[in-house]
Amino acid sequence: METFLGIDYPTLWYLVVGLLFSGYAILEGFDYGAGAWHLFLKKDLSRRIAINAIGPLWDANQVWLIIGGGALFAGFPVMYATMLSAMYIPFMLFLVLLVLRSSAIKFRSAEPMPWWRKTWDITYFVSNTLISFLLGVVLGNVLQGFEIGENFTYKGGIFFAFLSPYAILVGLTTLSIFMTQGAIFLLLKTEGRLHARLTFLLKKGMIFFIISFAITSLYTLIFVPGVTDKFKENPIFFILPLLAFLAVANVPRLVSKKKYAYALVFSSLTMAFLLMLVAFQLYPVLLPSNIHPEHSVTIYNAASSQKSLGIMLTIVVIGAPLLAGYFIFLYKTFYGKVKLDDSSY
C-alpha cells in the first residue's frame, strides 16, 4: 500500500475529507446559526442586517460542502453509496432546504409587502434550523451505526429510522452550537440596539448548548458501546476531550469580557475538537455495522484505487493553498460592521 510520510493513502484521504467537512461545519455553521435566530429579531431592519452579515459569505462557504461531497465520492465511493441509501430521506430534505434557504436570502427583500417578507422570513428561519438539526442527525446516526449487511447493503428502515433518540440529541446539540456560533458572528457584524439584542440571545444560546451538550455526552457514555475503548488503548488521546471541554468553558468567559472575535475562535475550536473526537473514535471505520463488525464500511474496503488516491492527493497539495488564500481574501475584504445600501439583500 502506497504511503506518504509514513501514512497510507486511505488514511490521508480520511484526514482530507475530515478537514473539508470540519471547515464546512465551522464556516457554514455560523451562517446557519445566524439564520436560526432570524425570527427572534423583531424589526425588519434588524433582519435585513442579519441577512447581509452573511450575504457575501454564505454561498462561498458552501464551497466546502461541494468539495467535501466530491472528495467523499471520489475517495470512498462505497461509503458514499451506502450512506446515501441509509440517509436518503434526510439528504433529500437537506437539499430541498438548501434551495429554500438560498431563495429566501435572494427574494426576501425583493418586494416591500409585509406578507412577502414574512413568508420568506419564516422560510429562512425554518430552513436554517432544520438544516442544522439534520446535519447533527446524520452525525448521530454515523456514531450509532447502521444496519449494514453483506456487500455493504443497507438493511434498515427508510422513512423515520434516522430519527432515533440519540440522533435527535446530536441534532439538537448541533443546532445549539451553530446558534451560539451564529450569535457571536452577528455580534461582530452589528452595533446599537441590535447588538444589545444579540447579546441577550447569545446568553440563551450558550445555555441551550451547555444543556444539550451535557445530556448528549452523558447519553453517549452510557448507551453508545465502545465509545471509550480507543482512549483506553491510547491514553494520550484523552487530551482531545480535555481540549474540547476547555474550549467550551472559555467561550462564556470571553463573551462576558466582550471579546467576541476570540469567542468565535474558541467556538470554532470547540467544533473542531468535537469532530476530531468523532474521527478518532471511528477510525478506520467510516460507517459501523450494527449487524456484524465485518460488514462495517472502512477506509480500506471503501477506498478508490491507490493510483486514484495518489493523483487526488497531489491535487489537494496544489489546491489547498489556493482555497486558503481565497477565503483569507474574502473574509478580510468583508471584515467589519454591516452597512446597508441599494445593493443589499
Side-chain angles (χ1 to χ4, degrees):
M1 184 172 290
E2 298 288 340
T3 63
F4 178 74
L5 298 176
I7 306 174
D8 59 70
Y9 283 1
T11 298
L12 285 172
W13 200 250
Y14 181 73
L15 295 174
V16 169
V17 172
L19 180 62
L20 289 170
F21 282 111
S22 296
Y24 173 70
I26 292 169
L27 296 179
E28 194 72 324
F30 64 68
D31 288 353
Y32 295 144
W37 288 114
H38 194 67
L39 292 187
F40 293 87
L41 308 177
K42 302 303 181 182
K43 294 184 177 180
D44 181 77
L45 179 61
S46 297
R47 292 177 178 180
R48 282 196 69 199
I49 292 173
I51 289 178
N52 281 277
I54 68 162
L57 309 172
W58 69 270
D59 46 356
N61 289 337
Q62 291 197 6
V63 168
W64 294 89
L65 176 63
I66 296 168
I67 298 176
L72 190 64
F73 174 72
F76 303 119
V78 174
M79 184 223 179
Y80 191 89
T82 304
M83 190 170 183
L84 281 180
S85 298
M87 295 282 98
Y88 184 82
I89 297 298
F91 278 134
M92 289 300 102
L93 288 173
F94 178 70
L95 290 175
V96 171
L97 291 167
L98 280 178
V99 173
L100 290 174
R101 173 178 179 262
S102 303
S103 301
I105 292 173
K106 296 290 186 180
F107 296 150
R108 190 259 177 200
S109 298
E111 297 290 344
M113 297 87 75
W115 67 266
W116 173 273
R117 294 192 173 188
K118 185 175 181 179
T119 299
W120 287 116
D121 282 340
I122 294 172
T123 302
Y124 181 63
F125 167 78
V126 171
S127 58
N128 279 285
T129 302
L130 288 181
I131 286 172
S132 303
F133 175 72
L134 286 173
L135 287 172
V137 165
V138 171
L139 179 60
N141 276 274
V142 171
L143 288 169
Q144 207 168 25
F146 297 95
E147 300 293 317
I148 302 174
E150 294 181 1
N151 299 318
F152 312 116
T153 304
Y154 177 64
K155 302 289 186 180
I158 295 295
F159 289 102
F160 299 107
F162 64 95
L163 287 176
S164 66
Y166 183 64
I168 292 172
L169 280 175
V170 179
L172 291 174
T173 303
T174 303
L175 172 61
S176 67
I177 195 171
F178 281 4
M179 291 180 75
T180 300
Q181 183 95 332
I184 296 172
F185 176 75
L186 288 176
L187 282 167
L188 289 170
K189 305 293 286 184
T190 58
E191 52 194 350
R193 296 181 67 180
L194 176 55
H195 190 276
R197 173 66 175 167
L198 287 165
T199 302
F200 170 76
L201 292 175
L202 175 57
K203 293 177 182 178
K204 302 297 184 183
M206 288 190 296
I207 293 171
F208 178 29
F209 169 64
I210 291 170
I211 293 173
S212 59
F213 176 68
I215 294 172
T216 303
S217 299
L218 185 62
Y219 190 105
T220 302
L221 291 171
I222 295 174
F223 294 106
V224 178
V227 72
T228 61
D229 291 351
K230 291 281 185 71
F231 296 99
K232 292 176 182 176
E233 296 170 4
N234 303 277
I236 191 173
F237 286 102
F238 270 108
I239 194 173
L240 288 177
L242 176 61
L243 289 173
F245 174 78
L246 291 175
V248 170
N250 208 25
V251 172
R253 184 184 71 84
L254 291 168
V255 167
S256 67
K257 294 184 176 182
K258 297 184 178 181
K259 296 181 178 180
Y260 299 120
Y262 290 110
L264 186 66
V265 170
F266 276 90
S267 176
S268 301
L269 286 174
T270 297
M271 281 195 270
F273 289 136
L274 291 175
L275 289 171
M276 287 169 66
L277 275 171
V278 171
F280 174 71
Q281 170 61 27
L282 288 174
Y283 179 84
V285 175
L286 294 169
L287 299 177
S289 171
N290 293 332
I291 296 177
H292 196 284
E294 291 182 356
H295 303 324
S296 296
V297 179
T298 71
I299 63 172
Y300 298 110
N301 60 29
S304 297
S305 68
Q306 294 292 298
K307 185 174 183 180
S308 297
L309 291 175
I311 293 171
M312 290 188 294
L313 287 169
T314 303
I315 295 173
V316 168
V317 171
I318 298 171
L322 298 176
L323 183 65
Y326 166 71
F327 274 90
I328 291 171
F329 170 78
L330 178 69
Y331 278 83
K332 190 173 182 179
T333 300
F334 294 102
Y335 180 79
K337 305 294 183 180
V338 174
K339 303 294 182 183
L340 298 180
D341 55 33
D342 293 337
S343 62
S344 300
Y345 291 122

